[in-house]
Amino acid sequence: MDWNRIEGGWKQFSGKVKEQWGKLTDDDITQINGNREQLEGKIQERYGKAKDEVRKEVDDWSGRLN
């Protein structure tokens, strides 16, 4: 899915983000506010994963939203 659609409908997608990455807090979700870079950064921080790995996860996740 186009990231602009995710960003524009962040409130709708935030529940799906929490399902995928349950370690993200509600405050994290609010702070991210649809910003992909911030989402990736928070996933890295909470899960201790490499940047490239997180980027691929987010790509895979957003691709499944179609």
Side-chain angles (χ1 to χ4, degrees):
M1 175 171 285
D2 177 38
W3 195 262
N4 289 329
R5 289 183 59 198
I6 294 171
E7 190 172 12
W10 184 244
K11 292 215 184 275
Q12 294 169 317
F13 291 107
S14 61
K16 294 179 188 288
V17 170
K18 288 277 287 186
E19 287 175 15
Q20 181 70 29
W21 296 285
K23 290 184 181 180
L24 296 179
T25 66
D26 290 336
D27 287 341
D28 290 338
I29 299 294
T30 300
Q31 183 181 9
I32 292 164
N33 196 32
N35 183 296
R36 182 181 173 132
E37 288 181 10
Q38 286 195 11
L39 172 62
E40 291 176 2
K42 287 294 181 184
I43 294 169
Q44 282 182 267
E45 182 181 319
R46 298 283 183 239
Y47 288 87
K49 294 183 176 187
K51 185 173 187 168
D52 291 342
E53 182 180 2
V54 170
R55 183 174 308 268
K56 183 176 179 342
E57 276 187 25
V58 173
D59 283 344
D60 291 347
W61 173 79
S62 63
R64 289 192 307 267
L65 293 176
N66 288 332

